[in-house]
């Protein structure tokens, strides 16, 4: 299985982007976002929460904690 990724260049043309050595696509439109292309064909598909934690790590964990606190599931941060 193969995925091709393209980015719009400054001259308005799309150019094909190579994956990194680990088979990941690194976005320029969304800083810090990357995609492991093997996930696209994994059966069953990986869990969305696990993927977000792998990509965004502590930032996503902090986001989830804030949501839980706002909904009263955790005590407010001190």
């Amino acid at each position: 299985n193969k995925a091709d990724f393209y980015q719009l260049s400054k001259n308005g043309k799309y150019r094909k982007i190579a994956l990194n050595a680990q088979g990941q696509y690194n976005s320029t439109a969304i800083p810090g976002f990357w995609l492991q292309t093997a996930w696209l064909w994994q059966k069953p598909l990986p869990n969305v929460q696990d993927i977000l934690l792998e990509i965004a790590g502590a930032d996503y964990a902090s986001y989830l904690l804030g949501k839980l606190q706002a909904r009263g599931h955790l005590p407010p941060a001190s």
Side-chain angles (χ1 to χ4, degrees):
N1 296 326
K2 180 182 174 197
D4 291 327
F5 295 88
Y6 295 82
Q7 291 177 348
L8 189 61
S9 67
K10 291 181 182 181
N11 67 0
K13 299 201 184 244
Y14 284 94
R15 60 186 176 96
K16 189 173 177 181
I17 301 299
L19 303 176
N20 69 16
Q22 292 78 35
Q24 298 170 341
Y25 167 74
N26 293 290
S27 174
T28 57
I30 305 170
F33 177 80
W34 54 271
L35 174 71
Q36 181 64 45
T37 57
W39 293 335
L40 300 172
W41 297 279
Q42 190 173 321
K43 294 201 183 202
L45 289 173
N47 177 282
V48 172
Q49 301 299 328
D50 292 339
I51 297 299
L52 290 171
L53 282 168
E54 187 164 344
I55 293 170
D59 289 335
Y60 185 62
S62 293
Y63 167 80
L64 289 176
L65 288 172
K67 287 286 195 183
L68 289 168
Q69 289 166 338
R71 294 179 182 178
H73 299 291
L74 294 174
S78 49

